[in-house]
Amino acid sequence: MNDGVIINEVGLRDGLQNQPRLINTEQKLQLADKLIAAGIKHIEATSFVNPKAVPQMADAGAVVAGLPHSAELNYSVLVPNMKGYQRAVASGMKNIGLVIAVSDTFNQKNIRMTLDTAREMCFEVINQAKQDGNTIRVYLSTACFCPYEGEIKVDRVHQLASQMINHGATEISIADTTGSGVPNQIDAICRPLVEQFKDVIFNLHVHDTAGQATAMVWAGYLAGIRSFDASIGGLGGCPFSPGASGNVATEDLVYLFEKSNINTGISLAGLSSAVRYAEEITGQKLGGKAMHWYWSQQKRLNLVK
Ligand code: COA
Ligand code: ZN
């Protein structure tokens, strides 16, 4: 028997941040309700970024204020700088995701800082979080590939991860922002980190642009990762990563793990209504392959009834 995995739902943030149709706070909160009803317990609810840079996240404070609470629900938010951290903490959040790219150019495009400035900013935010008793998960974005610099060498990811950990980060997320990685690359990045830093929690954040996402997640699992970001229906894409498609679909990970007898605590039937609702509010056809499999099974069962 295994202890299962954590699936951290990032649809409300990564999934919605780049949607052409504005999603209002009420709709975001309804989507959160449906995700929770499906068994999701870890949710990245929003990001505290410059609303001029990402208008979909302008209601971050209102989203946090409207979230339902219970002992088993864990929320986090993403921030790009100290101002975002302060806004997040003022809203009552204690689990903060902090983003820095491995690629210098991507930092400049995404958060308008050089890698060196972004690194210093991360150290300051980690220091502040330690004083405040909050947890910081540092997202190392463009860990496999940068849309501006190309392939990223594994050593650069290891170096930045070590710097963050040595400075006190207790959680690190390896983020294939563009969805260009392959399982072998994930193994090469994750295995040495998991082996070297036993007290650190590692998370994997992948996009499905090249169709490798579930395979990369499985490689991460085999390398010892037990926490994975995913987005309902495969929603998403980063505004600063041209051409990148959505995150790996939550339902694809639920199917992958549950069928492999690895507990997620999440039901495909429950996710089905969340995907339908996400389709309604975004006006897009959604659903990972596993959701389409589930729908086809339901149709077949209804036919034989
Ligand atoms: N939340 C809200 N507003 C913020 C902010 C934050 N975290 N950080 C800065 N701002 C505001 C400043 O107050 C200032 O406002 P003003 O124009 O009313 O004076 C304005 O943004 C510019 O501030 P500055 O520090 O010069 O930031 P910038 O223009 O260099 O932008 C970021 C830097 C990080 C704030 C911006 O690039 C950003 O929000 N990026 C997020 C990108 C993102 O979400 N990517 C996807 C997730 S990885
Ligand atoms: Zn992402």
Side-chain angles (χ1 to χ4, degrees):
M1 193 58 192
N2 56 69
D3 297 333
V5 290
I6 289 174
I7 294 189
N8 182 42
E9 172 63 45
V10 298
L12 289 167
R13 196 278 302 170
D14 211 341
L16 296 183
Q17 69 184 4
N18 201 25
Q19 290 298 319
R21 184 191 282 186
L22 195 72
I23 313 299
N24 67 40
T25 311
E26 188 51 39
Q27 291 169 324
K28 290 174 184 171
L29 293 173
Q30 279 210 37
L31 182 56
D33 282 346
K34 290 186 191 297
L35 293 164
I36 292 164
I40 285 178
K41 295 182 185 63
H42 295 78
I43 296 181
E44 185 180 71
T46 184
S47 58
F48 286 89
V49 296
N50 182 353
K52 285 189 195 132
V54 188
Q56 286 282 11
M57 299 290 113
D59 63 349
V63 169
V64 170
L67 290 168
H69 288 279
S70 79
E72 53 178 15
L73 291 174
N74 298 276
Y75 296 111
S76 61
V77 292
L78 194 74
V79 306
N81 57 14
M82 185 61 93
K83 177 160 183 178
Y85 172 81
Q86 285 162 346
R87 287 177 63 212
V89 172
S91 81
M93 289 303 306
K94 297 196 73 63
N95 302 321
I96 317 286
L98 181 60
V99 63
I100 178 171
V102 183
S103 138
D104 192 31
T105 319
F106 197 83
N107 281 306
Q108 296 183 39
K109 301 274 184 195
N110 192 36
I111 55 174
R112 292 162 52 90
M113 293 174 210
T114 62
L115 176 57
D116 287 343
T117 314
R119 191 188 285 113
E120 287 308 313
M121 175 279 293
C122 286
F123 291 166
E124 279 172 32
V125 175
I126 292 169
N127 286 347
Q128 189 60 49
K130 277 197 267 186
Q131 276 181 36
D132 298 342
N134 295 328
T135 64
I136 294 278
R137 166 185 291 172
V138 181
Y139 275 87
L140 305 183
S141 69
T142 62
C144 296
F145 187 87
C146 167
Y148 311 101
E149 292 183 15
E151 205 75 18
I152 297 291
K153 289 222 159 62
V154 171
D155 288 357
R156 290 172 69 188
V157 186
H158 287 167
Q159 191 188 30
L160 193 56
S162 305
Q163 287 166 342
M164 292 299 144
I165 293 165
N166 292 337
H167 204 85
T170 52
E171 292 191 32
I172 298 284
S173 177
I174 303 299
D176 179 17
T177 314
T178 61
S180 312
V182 290
N184 206 23
Q185 207 172 2
I186 295 299
D187 185 75
I189 295 171
C190 297
R191 193 175 291 273
L193 289 174
V194 171
E195 276 168 15
Q196 188 181 349
F197 299 108
K198 301 240 181 292
D199 297 334
V200 173
I201 297 169
F202 288 96
N203 164 278
L204 189 59
H205 174 106
V206 297
H207 285 251
D208 205 16
T209 320
Q212 305 293 307
T214 44
M216 286 195 281
V217 165
W218 191 244
Y221 180 79
L222 295 180
I225 304 253
R226 293 293 178 267
S227 166
F228 300 90
D229 282 4
S231 176
I232 186 70
L235 261 179
C238 170
F240 305 94
S241 179
S245 65
N247 291 91
V248 66
T250 308
E251 54 271 24
D252 286 350
L253 292 200
V254 169
Y255 184 95
L256 171 71
F257 285 120
E258 291 289 335
K259 281 220 155 185
S260 309
N261 293 321
I262 298 162
N263 184 42
T264 65
I266 303 168
S267 90
L268 271 183
L271 290 180
S272 171
S273 82
V275 174
R276 291 298 192 204
Y277 185 67
E279 285 186 322
E280 188 186 316
I281 59 176
T282 61
Q284 291 176 355
K285 285 264 165 252
L286 297 170
K289 287 239 160 63
M291 199 79 261
H292 290 278
W293 171 86
Y294 174 82
W295 287 333
S296 72
Q297 296 304 302
Q298 292 304 106
K299 212 166 151 188
R300 190 176 58 77
L301 288 174
N302 283 338
L303 282 179
V304 293
K305 253 183 209 165

